[in-house]
Amino acid sequence: MAIENIKMPQLGESVTEGTIEKWLVQPGDHVNKYDPLAEVNTDKVTAEVPSSFTGTIKELIASEGETLAVGEIVCTIETEGGDSAPAENNKPAEAGKENLMPAADTALTKGMTGEKGSSQPAKTAGAKGRYSPAVLRLAQENDIDLTQVTGSGNEGRITRKDLMAIIESGNIPKAGDAPAQQAAPVAEQPAAPKAEAPQTAAPAPKSAPIESAPGDIGIPVTGVRRAIAANMLKSKHEAPHAWMMIEVDVTDLVAYRDSIKGEFKKKEGFNITYFAFFVKAISQALKEFPMMNSMWAGDKIIQKKDINISIAVASDNALFVPVIRNSDEKSIKGIGRDINDLALKARNGKLGSADMQGGTFTVNNTGSFGSVQSMGIINHPQAAIVQVESIVKRPVIMNNGMIAARDMVNLCLSLDHRVLDGLVCGQFLARVKEILENMSKENTSVY
């Protein structure tokens, strides 16, 4: 027998961390190679971590809800075959075990040769003063002084969850405050708790007013919901939001779509929705107004070459934002197929990291809920989001002065005013309106 480590895998090219959403095994369970061990959430995607070995689960290092950097150990497995190397072995056996560990694990045990127990020293090494890349990145982006943060991880390790709680509370310990706080260790030891007490108790006043009453239900915050909250908070804090709305007459589009939907479903196997026409029109307008397809990057604005449309898809208990890639190059049918496929993946929990990455502009189908006017929060780091509202029949005064019942829809645009101004946004919406009002059986093909 031998003890092997299972580490947090890299579930995408730019992924640096993952959250253990749910353990699928417990210590003592027998698993085969490639059996799923846990559900891990990263970038709003839930994926399964497979076992790299056949054997028996020895220890679950990470707990549910804990966020770990890529490469950190999540659990250990006692494999079948080979020499036995239990955690509480003597020195020779421990040395043999160290030889089985990859370089990343060996670094955790540096300076601990000869000590009994393999898991506990590793936890100690990963405690105060040693931070994961994800924690360091969050601290730098939000100017958080890590020396003033009390970690909730093993042996006081600071986790991404700790920093997100601080960011959401708004009570951020700034790096500029460090000299004043660092003076505490110079005082006598009994005085240290007094200096630290205000830091620990500071967030309490914010949460104190929210009290549970009889009959209230406490709903745990899932990794997906936490990721959505973090991204929305970041967007509202960083991007100065502005808002515009335009009214569009889609009477001809509605008549065209309704005339082909039955035959299309029979031929292609999926429904052709109004939303596919809207995404096509917006993609075409983005090609003509490339500034709308841009992102704020601090010292510059990056105008993206590819037009990749993020769309909001809801499952029973979560919201996902998968991406339709190169939407400007696709037909209405192609866009419709992508919408259908991504929606099915989301509802069946099959969305992968690749499905969620690379979006440059978001189109949200709020009209599917009956909404007629809304102000969307921009999907960071994009510069704008369009809400396609519900199509409703309304009396409209025509050019000849007559009143007619027309199919009308509102398109609501939220924009990052650091990147975009009213002029280009107004021109963009006017072009989308023009494209949509000219979509009809006579001049539009879905293929």
Side-chain angles (χ1 to χ4, degrees), residues 221-243:
V221 178
T222 64
V224 171
R225 176 52 55 187
R226 193 176 295 279
I228 293 171
N231 197 47
M232 295 298 98
L233 189 68
K234 187 176 183 69
S235 178
K236 288 296 287 184
H237 278 184
E238 290 189 6
H241 282 54
W243 186 78

Side-chain angles (χ1 to χ4, degrees), residues 212-213 215-221:
S212 296
D216 290 351
I217 300 174
I219 302 173
V221 178

Side-chain angles (χ1 to χ4, degrees), residues 60 68 87 106 124 127 146 244 246 259 288 295 314 340 350 414:
L60 304 183
L68 296 93
T106 305
T124 303
L146 291 174
M244 300 178 70
I246 196 166
S259 70
E288 299 175 26
M295 298 179 181
N340 182 71
K350 300 296 184 183
S414 296

Side-chain angles (χ1 to χ4, degrees), residues 136 153 165 278 358 361:
L136 287 172
F278 286 103
F361 189 97

